[in-house]
Amino acid sequence: MIAPLAVVALTASLAACSTGDDALTPADADALADEEVTLHVAIDEGLEEEAVEAFETRAAEFTEEHPNITVEAQEYTWTGTTFAADLAGGTLPTVFTVPFTDGRGLIERQQIADISALVAELPYAGQFNETVAAAGQSADGAQWAVPVAAYGQGIHYNRALFAEAGLDPDAPPTTWEEVREAADTISEETGQTGLGMMTSSNTGGWILTTLVYAMGGRAEAVEGDEVTATIDTPEYQEALEYLHAMRWEDDSMGDEFLYDWATSHADFGAGKIGMMISGGGDYGNLITQNAMNPDDYGVTVLPLEGDDAAVLGGGTLAAVDAKATPAEQAAAVEWIDFYYMGKLTTQEGAVADAEALTAQDQPVGAPILPVFDQETYDQSQEWIADLINVPLEQFAPYSDRIYDQPLAAEPPAATQDLYATLDPVVQAVLTDESADIDTLLADAEQQVQTLIDRG
């Protein structure tokens, strides 16, 4: 126990260095272990009451273990178009999540706290999948942000709409031509959107690039330190022509062409969309935020066609606000370890998390891509086998095949800027039958290259 004046002096000195190059050390954190801290942590916006209660159960368990830390939940959902302003304005919670694509930029600009020395002390620090871990690492390999979830893109589909349209929900499309045919059939037979396409808040570029990867293309070429935009390419042309045909020849994409992540998932959960492309681990959000009927949910892998076709993969990092005090940083790592990672790495954490969710009738055990390896993930599923309450057989078209598909990381340079540049390209193709795809792609490539060159 340190005398109060000593704690104040230590805190002041650590605060002075926390925005510099030195990470908070384990010794520093130990010295602050008894300091009273109020920690603001992210919780998804719009959760059902039961999901909030499950979160509160876990938070209570955490504070029982850490009586000096008070946890206050703050609703937060990362949105590409507003995140930078929220970060600059200081309105984010102390612990928040960001996509893999944001990690390196936040680190280089020192907009998140350097918690790497504390993360290095966690028992599983050396067990992350190297590709996954890199998203939260600085250039020297220090782990500033912790990967808490990974995904490979998939096709989510509504089993009820499939059945209503006369399609077999247990045999989803396996080629892009079959996807197009299924979307057309759903639209014709049910009156609902066959394929919903995200187009705004950087999601249009994200999903377009997902299609491009699956058709064998890439958004950027990397040779040493040189990154070249590769957008004005046959693969981007093919992907846009595919969407154009579905929109204007088949009329199977509905009439909403400004979907972002939240609005597309809301309509999908409400049974207004037959299929949509998104991260394969979206089931929990669809159930807890969009009240989707679990019986209606289905998911399958992306068709991969063409040389070098791959599944675009990414994930989520847990990060700490750069303005956090040393005591808050130390508490934040304790929270990340407990709330995000415990259920993946320890039997006690996995069971406690599953029990809290089960008590509130929330989904447990939905298949995901692991941030470690499949063996570690399979072990965590075994720990909670008796508590799994999701329809695993409905995930089989995805979970049985995703590990056999090649995964490729998102474009490495100016990623969100690249996606944002492509949003209006997708919107133009879906709203203007005469859109000049050649010109749109040529202009977009030039704009993206300028953004890459600026760094």
Side-chain angles (χ1 to χ4, degrees):
M1 187 72 175
I2 302 177
L5 288 178
V7 172
V8 172
L10 177 59
T11 302
S13 65
L14 290 177
C17 73
S18 65
T19 57
D21 296 331
D22 296 329
L24 186 68
T25 69
D28 296 333
D30 288 344
L32 297 169
D34 295 325
E35 182 169 335
E36 295 290 331
V37 174
T38 297
L39 190 65
H40 295 87
V41 302
I43 183 173
D44 287 339
E45 294 177 341
L47 291 178
E48 294 180 338
E49 182 179 351
E50 293 81 5
V52 174
E53 290 176 356
F55 173 91
E56 290 173 346
T57 296
R58 293 295 283 148
E61 292 168 352
F62 176 78
T63 54
E64 184 176 354
E65 293 182 14
H66 303 84
N68 63 306
I69 303 174
T70 299
V71 173
E72 293 190 1
Q74 179 178 331
E75 285 197 345
Y76 159 85
T77 298
W78 181 90
T79 303
T81 52
T82 61
F83 174 76
D86 292 340
L87 181 65
T91 61
L92 299 181
T94 308
V95 182
F96 56 89
T97 54
V98 295
F100 279 6
T101 53
D102 277 22
R104 279 292 178 90
L106 292 171
I107 294 166
E108 290 170 359
R109 295 187 295 271
Q110 297 190 11
Q111 290 176 303
I112 59 175
D114 182 359
I115 57 172
S116 60
L118 303 187
V119 173
E121 294 295 305
L122 297 173
Y124 46 81
Q127 299 173 20
F128 287 111
N129 176 294
E130 290 184 7
T131 301
V132 166
Q137 292 176 349
S138 59
D140 62 2
Q143 197 76 47
W144 285 51
V146 181
V148 298
Y151 71 83
Q153 298 282 64
I155 299 176
H156 304 264
Y157 64 96
N158 186 300
R159 294 174 60 87
L161 290 179
F162 262 59
E164 185 180 343
L167 302 170
D168 184 354
D170 295 322
T174 59
T175 68
W176 288 113
E177 184 56 33
E178 289 178 2
V179 170
R180 180 180 175 182
E181 292 170 357
D184 192 26
T185 301
I186 291 167
S187 180
E188 288 285 338
E189 298 298 327
T190 73
Q192 303 294 349
T193 297
L195 178 72
M197 179 69 185
M198 300 184 219
T199 68
S200 61
S201 299
N202 302 9
T203 61
W206 177 49
I207 301 302
L208 175 62
T209 300
T210 296
L211 284 169
V212 168
Y213 274 42
M215 295 174 177
R218 296 294 186 272
E220 296 172 352
V222 181
E223 290 189 17
D225 294 332
E226 185 175 347
V227 180
T228 304
T230 54
I231 291 170
D232 188 10
T233 61
E235 292 83 7
Y236 269 97
Q237 181 89 22
E238 179 184 3
L240 286 172
E241 288 176 350
Y242 177 79
L243 294 175
H244 186 275
M246 293 182 70
R247 165 67 175 97
W248 297 104
E249 296 176 24
D250 304 342
D251 192 23
S252 63
M253 299 186 72
D255 55 9
E256 175 54 67
F257 304 113
L258 288 175
Y259 274 132
D260 61 10
W261 194 94
T263 54
S264 65
H265 284 63
D267 275 4
F268 183 82
K272 298 178 181 180
I273 296 175
M275 295 179 289
M276 70 174 182
I277 300 168
S278 188
D282 288 356
Y283 177 81
N285 297 94
L286 289 164
I287 301 303
T288 62
Q289 290 177 282
N290 305 122
M292 186 173 188
N293 182 347
D295 293 340
D296 294 345
Y297 180 77
V299 61
T300 188
V301 293
L302 297 176
L304 300 185
E305 300 174 357
D307 295 339
D308 205 26
V311 177
L312 183 146
T316 302
L317 299 166
V320 179
D321 192 334
K323 301 180 183 68
T325 68
E328 289 171 342
Q329 291 180 36
V333 175
E334 295 282 3
W335 172 255
I336 292 169
D337 179 42
F338 173 90
Y339 182 70
Y340 292 106
M341 307 309 298
K343 60 189 174 186
L344 305 178
T345 59
T346 70
Q347 183 170 359
E348 179 184 8
V351 172
D353 183 72
E355 288 178 342
L357 293 170
T358 301
Q360 300 300 331
D361 197 27
Q362 297 300 293
V364 174
I368 59 173
L369 276 181
V371 296
F372 298 108
D373 54 35
Q374 188 171 359
E375 182 179 356
T376 302
Y377 171 73
D378 289 343
Q379 176 65 74
S380 69
Q381 290 291 86
E382 289 179 16
W383 288 331
I384 61 171
D386 294 339
L387 296 166
I388 292 175
N389 59 11
V390 301
L392 292 177
E393 67 279 359
Q394 293 170 211
F395 291 84
Y398 181 84
S399 59
D400 288 353
R401 298 167 59 195
I402 186 62
Y403 294 108
D404 296 327
Q405 290 194 306
L407 290 173
E410 294 182 77
T415 314
Q416 293 299 335
D417 290 332
L418 182 151
Y419 292 158
T421 301
L422 291 172
D423 275 1
V425 173
V426 179
Q427 293 168 17
V429 169
L430 297 183
T431 59
D432 179 4
E433 186 173 4
S434 300
D436 186 339
I437 293 176
D438 289 339
T439 299
L440 288 168
L441 289 177
D443 290 347
E445 179 170 284
Q446 185 177 29
Q447 292 173 44
V448 171
Q449 189 62 54
T450 298
L451 292 166
I452 292 171
D453 293 342
R454 287 176 182 171

